Amino acid sequence: KYMMLLHLFLQVADFALQLAPLVFGSPCGALQVLLCVVQPALQAIDVVAAVLRDASVRRLKGDSRPRQRAEQRAAALAAFDLVDAVSIFEEDTPQNLISLLQPNFIVKGGDYQPADVIGGDIVKKRGGKVVIVPTYAAYSTSKLITSR
């Protein structure tokens, strides 16, 4: 399931031929919650997860992050049966990846507002939707770190 960008693009093109909606999630937490909470409803859609490279996470969240390497985070998402593809991206935002993949939905955690979700404009322009999933402390790396 873990694939480089070119293979991911080809996989998504295949999904499009199957006419199944495409869900995009980044980073891991919100997508993991979505997969746990609404798993039965996800049977008929294709799910792509994108994981930030470690250097990008450090730039965005500080030197103590990430707690797990990108490959470990990607493997955790790929372990979900309903995740169809996982890719690690280099940029600080998934804007270019979202533009390339053209998903029908973007999933983000409850600490986001729909208007602030990067790539949301791309999805909405195509008639898609930004889905905000409630944040649960058990799935939040930031909250786990501060509670120790």
Side-chain angles (χ1 to χ4, degrees), residues 28-42 76-77 80 82-83 133 136 139:
C28 303
L31 192 59
Q32 288 175 332
V33 170
L34 176 74
L35 293 170
C36 291
V37 173
V38 295
Q39 193 168 10
L42 293 175
L77 286 167
F80 283 97
L82 292 173
V83 171
V133 177
Y136 296 99
Y139 292 95

Side-chain angles (χ1 to χ4, degrees), residues 28 51-55 57-58 65-76 88:
C28 303
V51 175
L52 277 167
R53 277 260 174 239
D54 296 347
V57 174
R58 273 190 290 283
R65 304 291 290 277
R67 295 301 244 202
Q68 294 183 317
R69 292 179 31 246
E71 293 78 11
Q72 292 170 305
R73 290 178 278 134
I88 298 173

Side-chain angles (χ1 to χ4, degrees), residues 90-119:
E90 302 288 336
E91 297 91 356
D92 287 347
T93 76
Q95 180 78 25
N96 291 332
L97 187 55
I98 292 166
S99 183
L100 176 70
L101 300 179
Q102 296 289 310
N104 302 91
F105 302 95
I106 294 179
V107 177
K108 292 299 280 183
D111 49 340
Y112 283 86
Q113 294 298 315
D116 298 331
V117 173
I118 292 173

